[in-house]
Amino acid sequence: MKEPVLDRRIVKTKKALRDALTSLMKEKTFDEITVSDLTVRADINRGTFYLHYRDKYDLLQQSEEEILAGVQKIRSKKKKMLKKEDLPVFDFMNKPLPLVAELFEYLQEHAEFMTVILGPRGNPAFHVKLKEVMSSTMAQSILARLGEDQEELIVPIDYLSSYAISAQLGVIQHWLNTGMKESPMEVSLILSRLIFSNPVTLYKHPKT
Amino acid sequence: MKEPVLDRRIVKTKKALRDALTSLMKEKTFDEITVSDLTVRADINRGTFYLHYRDKYDLLQQSEEEILAGVQKIRSKKKKMLKKEDLPVFDFMNKPLPLVAELFEYLQEHAEFMTVILGPRGNPAFHVKLKEVMSSTMAQSILARLGEDQEELIVPIDYLSSYAISAQLGVIQHWLNTGMKESPMEVSLILSRLIFSNPVTLYKHPKT
DNA sequence: ACTATTAATAAACAGTTTGTTCATTATTTA
DNA sequence: TAAATAATGAACAAACTGTTTATTAATAGT
């Protein structure tokens, strides 16, 4: 699926440009960033940029797709996914959901890019794409199974999905924006508790 | 606080430019939109644009702030807010939260702009600002009160906040993106149920 | 209805940025 | 070491920006 080019110069140039993009997005909005900005920061000739990317959007897209492919890869580890019959016995309050910890580890590895792309200067289209990838995986798949007999649900299943996925992304964003103080394991557990609780059951000793 | 200018020409020009912005954002990313695009679409001389806005970012910001002010206004209707003592008796499953229905009505009035600004071509900085406004209101204030004695919470309160607010925004986005099929009242009820439930209690007849 | 005021227009300006091309130099692979 | 390929620097027209100018048009207040 991929391996055609491996010339050191190409690899070096592309990496320099991607790093420059991440670096510049900490300072400016994407649309304020010019190709000149990128090549100056990357210490690359401007013409060279066009040898590898059509324009700055192409650079952004390729960077995004690389990350999304990584998330997809985690997602597709089906062995670790919960099955319907596990649901009643799985201890959501004390064990993080199987694939979620891996996801946070991956995010941590790519923290710089993830933080800017999901931040205030980021790309909302990336949010959408990430949600799409996440919606076919993780706790989402559990929620979907929960809603298999949709007639029984008191809210439309699509609203339940949107709600749950956005919530998960919210936790991811908060974790990134606060400097990833918790370990991937810890934040996974927090997420698991949030998903499978409601405001009342979030207490150690429920009052009602 | 405001009323200085009211010349018909100014009002007409500004409205034309704002409408043009909304219209163009259905087709292009904000950064792909040029001042020329805007003035052509608005049928306005390009020079006139600079009589009212410093640049296209200024136009975007002013449009955003107008909307945010509207949300703020709803938020500040304290009379309608739930108090702590209402919590145990309020029927979350069958009554929408007080201010939320009003919020959805307001969103519906500004549906065109809200849909593009919160959509894939929108502005993530606006997401952040909207979250900030929402976090000081709505169900969020309830969640905050729930967490007053934070020692009892099994998740950090800031994660609970991020989770809940993002979730609410997710519902708003889904509602807008699916053409607002539900009435403001209906979608408010859906949101209320989602907030105060968990995957299990979302069933009419809980199985566990 | 008149007039002084203010907004909108059209046209022109230099300065950036863009995307492309070219001949030349440097690096890499095998 | 040689052949292949990537990077460079320079130059180009085209598009967009932000500003200015003189001129025309619309408006508010009387």
Side-chain angles (χ1 to χ4, degrees):
Chain A
M1 216 77 193
K2 64 181 293 192
E3 24 68 51
V5 277
L6 59 175
D7 190 310
R8 280 189 207 153
R9 291 169 293 184
I10 295 179
V11 176
K12 192 191 122 239
T13 299
K14 286 195 159 192
K15 176 167 168 31
L17 284 169
R18 282 165 193 227
D19 289 349
L21 177 62
T22 303
S23 166
L24 283 165
M25 283 183 80
K26 291 179 187 170
E27 301 163 18
K28 306 179 181 189
T29 321
F30 177 73
D31 48 299
E32 288 169 323
I33 298 171
T34 66
V35 174
S36 296
D37 286 338
L38 288 163
T39 54
V40 167
R41 181 70 55 103
D43 196 23
I44 289 279
N45 187 275
R46 194 169 66 84
T48 307
F49 177 92
Y50 294 101
L51 257 36
H52 301 285
Y53 304 102
R54 201 183 319 105
D55 49 33
K56 63 173 180 166
Y57 303 102
D58 192 29
L59 169 62
L60 178 67
Q61 203 195 320
Q62 288 194 32
S63 303
E64 289 180 351
E65 273 169 10
E66 197 179 274
I67 296 288
L68 286 173
V71 176
Q72 271 284 10
K73 202 175 164 190
I74 295 173
R75 177 207 92 82
S76 56
K77 292 185 184 170
K78 297 206 177 172
K79 316 130 197 175
K80 283 205 181 177
M81 279 171 72
L82 283 189
K83 297 182 197 89
K84 192 173 183 176
E85 53 269 29
D86 299 330
L87 279 180
V89 294
F90 192 83
D91 182 8
F92 301 110
M93 285 307 171
N94 299 301
K95 268 168 82 177
L97 288 161
L99 289 173
V100 175
E102 272 186 71
L103 174 64
F104 279 101
E105 271 163 34
Y106 181 78
L107 296 177
Q108 200 173 42
E109 280 166 32
H110 299 84
E112 277 211 73
F113 181 75
M114 291 305 305
T115 304
V116 298
I117 204 73
L118 290 179
R121 298 192 216 281
N123 179 12
F126 183 79
H127 284 230
V128 175
K129 286 186 230 154
L130 183 58
K131 281 182 185 176
E132 279 166 11
V133 174
M134 282 179 27
S135 78
S136 53
T137 182
M138 308 295 155
Q140 184 50 27
S141 61
I142 297 163
L143 291 172
R145 285 204 197 86
L146 268 173
E148 258 170 15
D149 38 1
Q150 298 190 17
E151 318 246 319
E152 288 293 307
L153 276 175
I154 59 170
V155 293
I157 183 73
D158 52 333
Y159 274 96
L160 177 53
S161 290
S162 302
Y163 179 88
I165 294 181
S166 290
Q168 289 173 59
L169 234 176
V171 168
I172 290 172
Q173 286 176 308
H174 183 74
W175 182 63
L176 291 170
N177 289 332
T178 52
M180 299 166 289
K181 293 197 181 68
E182 296 82 6
S183 71
M185 208 64 180
E186 286 164 350
V187 69
S188 302
L189 182 57
I190 290 172
L191 181 54
S192 181
R193 285 174 173 173
L194 283 166
I195 291 172
F196 293 97
S197 307
N198 64 33
V200 176
T201 54
L202 279 177
Y203 284 89
K204 288 174 193 161
H205 312 294
K207 294 164 183 177
T208 28
Chain B
M1 215 78 191
K2 65 181 293 194
E3 23 69 52
V5 279
L6 59 175
D7 191 311
R8 281 188 208 152
R9 290 169 294 183
I10 295 179
V11 177
K12 193 192 124 238
T13 299
K14 286 195 158 191
K15 177 167 168 28
L17 284 170
R18 281 165 194 228
D19 289 349
L21 176 62
T22 303
S23 166
L24 282 165
M25 283 183 81
K26 291 179 187 170
E27 301 163 19
K28 306 179 180 187
T29 320
F30 178 72
D31 48 299
E32 286 169 324
I33 298 172
T34 67
V35 173
S36 296
D37 287 338
L38 288 163
T39 54
V40 167
R41 181 70 55 104
D43 196 24
I44 290 279
N45 187 275
R46 193 169 66 85
T48 306
F49 178 93
Y50 294 101
L51 258 34
H52 301 284
Y53 303 103
R54 202 184 317 104
D55 49 32
K56 65 172 180 166
Y57 302 102
D58 193 28
L59 168 63
L60 178 68
Q61 204 194 321
Q62 288 193 31
S63 304
E64 289 180 351
E65 274 169 10
E66 197 179 274
I67 296 287
L68 287 172
V71 177
Q72 271 285 9
K73 203 174 162 188
I74 295 173
R75 175 209 94 80
S76 55
K77 292 186 186 171
K78 297 204 176 170
K79 316 129 198 179
K80 282 204 180 177
M81 280 171 71
L82 282 188
K83 298 182 196 90
K84 193 172 184 176
E85 53 268 29
D86 298 331
L87 278 180
V89 293
F90 192 83
D91 183 8
F92 301 109
M93 285 307 173
N94 298 302
K95 268 167 83 176
L97 289 161
L99 289 173
V100 175
E102 273 185 70
L103 174 64
F104 279 102
E105 270 163 34
Y106 181 78
L107 296 178
Q108 200 173 42
E109 280 166 32
H110 300 83
E112 277 211 73
F113 182 75
M114 290 305 306
T115 305
V116 298
I117 204 72
L118 291 179
R121 298 192 216 280
N123 179 12
F126 183 79
H127 283 232
V128 176
K129 287 185 230 155
L130 183 58
K131 281 182 185 176
E132 278 167 11
V133 173
M134 282 179 27
S135 78
S136 53
T137 184
M138 308 296 155
Q140 184 50 27
S141 62
I142 298 164
L143 291 172
R145 284 203 198 86
L146 267 173
E148 258 169 17
D149 39 358
Q150 298 191 17
E151 319 246 318
E152 288 292 309
L153 276 175
I154 60 169
V155 294
I157 182 71
D158 53 332
Y159 274 96
L160 176 53
S161 290
S162 302
Y163 180 87
I165 294 181
S166 290
Q168 290 173 59
L169 234 175
V171 168
I172 289 172
Q173 287 176 306
H174 184 73
W175 183 63
L176 290 169
N177 289 333
T178 53
M180 300 168 288
K181 293 199 181 67
E182 296 82 6
S183 71
M185 207 65 180
E186 286 165 350
V187 69
S188 301
L189 183 56
I190 290 172
L191 181 53
S192 181
R193 285 174 173 172
L194 283 167
I195 292 173
F196 294 97
S197 306
N198 65 33
V200 175
T201 53
L202 279 177
Y203 284 89
K204 289 175 194 162
H205 312 293
K207 294 162 183 177
T208 28

